[in-house]
């Protein structure tokens, strides 16, 4: 089922219980999965690729250029209205550096117009960033950095996260919880939790955005977005 776009909605049940899956085996439906680049896009690109895949023979390849306008994403606005669980298999060609970058961006109406909840890296580790106040999860202290993980390169990785309606966040890499990227009982989340913002995302987009000069190429495959955890 991961090799085809499928939207499953049980009769008489709300969309919050739906699940959207995409494995790109039937190609890239650019109507269902449009590109996204707020404000500007110069140099980045998205393409259907057959050189590597997690399952089957195809994946989406995002070539991210350096600098803010080098960003480009591809994704969907089909997100549940309640709890949101996202899983993607991804393969990065370069390691995260000290520079701030994003590889998932989500328009977040709770933060205001044109503001995003972002997932990416800084200080060589995976992290969340809230655009409205530039808060990070975890705090980028030595303890906070140690509580997260780097993103392995050159092989397919299973990345999952959960956004709760209560504002909570959970994150897993290859099925293992990342303690620094959760909001519950996290001593390294003080910067994040001092705000009362509860994310209300209107889309999920996969790609690359650099706020300095970092470039990267990332492949995405077997994406699942739904109201329950899909697992790896």
């Amino acid at each position: 089922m991961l090799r085809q776009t499928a939207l499953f909605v049980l009769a008489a049940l709300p969309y919050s219980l739906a699940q959207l899956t995409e494995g790109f085996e039937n190609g890239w439906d650019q109507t269902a999965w449009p590109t996204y680049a707020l404000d500007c896009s110069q140099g980045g690109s998205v393409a259907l690729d057959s050189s590597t895949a997690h399952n089957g023979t195809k994946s989406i390849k995002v070539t991210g250029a350096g600098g803010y306008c080098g960003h480009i994403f591809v994704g969907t606005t089909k997100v549940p209205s309640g709890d949101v669980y996202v899983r993607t298999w991804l393969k990065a060609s370069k390691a995260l550096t000290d520079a701030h970058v994003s590889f998932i961006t989500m328009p977040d109406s709770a933060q205001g117009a044109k503001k995003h909840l972002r997932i990416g890296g800084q200080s060589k580790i995976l992290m969340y960033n809230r655009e409205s106040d530039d808060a990070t999860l975890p705090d980028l202290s030595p303890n906070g950095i140690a509580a997260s993980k780097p993103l392995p390169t050159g092989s397919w990785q299973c990345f999952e996260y959960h956004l709760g309606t209560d504002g909570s966040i959970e994150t897993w890499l290859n099925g293992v919880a990342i303690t620094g990227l959760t909001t519950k009982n996290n001593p390294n989340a003080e910067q994040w939790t001092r705000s009362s913002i509860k994310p209300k995302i209107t889309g999920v987009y996969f790609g690359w955005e650099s706020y300095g000069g970092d470039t990267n190429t990332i492949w995405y495959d077997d994406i699942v977005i739904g109201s329950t955890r899909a697992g790896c």
Side-chain angles (χ1 to χ4, degrees):
M1 298 302 292
L2 293 177
R3 300 183 182 185
Q4 300 179 20
T5 302
L7 180 62
F8 301 102
V9 185
L10 298 179
L13 292 180
Y15 179 70
S16 61
L17 297 182
Q19 187 177 85
L20 176 69
T21 73
E22 178 58 87
F24 305 106
E25 288 305 293
N26 289 335
W28 171 23
D29 183 345
Q30 297 186 41
T31 300
W33 290 79
T35 57
Y36 178 81
L38 191 66
D39 299 326
C40 61
S41 180
Q42 299 172 356
S45 65
V46 177
L48 184 68
D49 189 47
S50 58
S51 67
T52 183
H54 170 253
N55 250 332
T57 61
K58 296 182 178 65
S59 63
I60 282 289
K61 177 182 178 181
V62 176
T63 304
Y68 174 74
C69 282
H71 65 234
I72 190 70
F73 293 85
V74 58
T76 178
T77 58
K78 299 292 186 182
V79 295
S81 57
D83 284 47
V84 179
Y85 287 81
V86 177
R87 187 206 71 194
T88 183
W89 286 84
L90 60 88
K91 183 167 76 170
S93 62
K94 295 181 182 179
L96 300 172
T97 71
D98 288 326
H100 181 196
V101 298
S102 297
F103 57 81
I104 297 176
T105 193
M106 295 162 280
D108 183 6
S109 61
Q111 295 186 57
K114 295 186 177 183
K115 298 298 183 183
H116 296 75
L117 175 61
R118 303 183 287 206
I119 302 174
Q122 194 169 344
S123 301
K124 300 183 177 69
I125 52 96
L126 292 161
M127 69 148 196
Y128 288 77
N129 174 251
R130 190 167 52 219
E131 186 176 3
S132 58
D133 60 359
D134 206 31
T136 64
L137 177 71
D139 301 332
L140 295 181
S141 63
N143 286 341
I145 292 169
S148 185
K149 293 180 180 294
L151 179 65
T153 62
S155 61
W156 287 97
Q157 308 294 317
C158 178
F159 184 78
E160 304 173 87
Y161 62 95
H162 167 219
L163 306 178
T165 55
D166 59 356
S168 61
I169 292 175
E170 298 177 282
T171 314
W172 302 266
L173 182 64
N174 298 319
V176 178
I178 304 177
T179 58
L181 302 186
T182 184
T183 51
K184 184 178 181 180
N185 300 324
N186 184 353
N188 302 298
E190 291 183 2
Q191 185 182 119
W192 194 267
T193 56
R194 68 184 175 213
S195 170
S196 61
I197 292 174
K198 298 177 181 179
K200 190 175 179 61
I201 65 168
T202 58
V204 182
Y205 298 94
F206 307 87
W208 179 256
E209 184 168 24
S210 171
Y211 310 102
D214 281 23
T215 64
N216 214 330
T217 300
I218 303 182
W219 289 263
Y220 297 91
D221 200 3
D222 294 337
I223 297 168
V224 181
I225 301 171
S227 59
T228 58
R229 187 180 173 191
C232 294

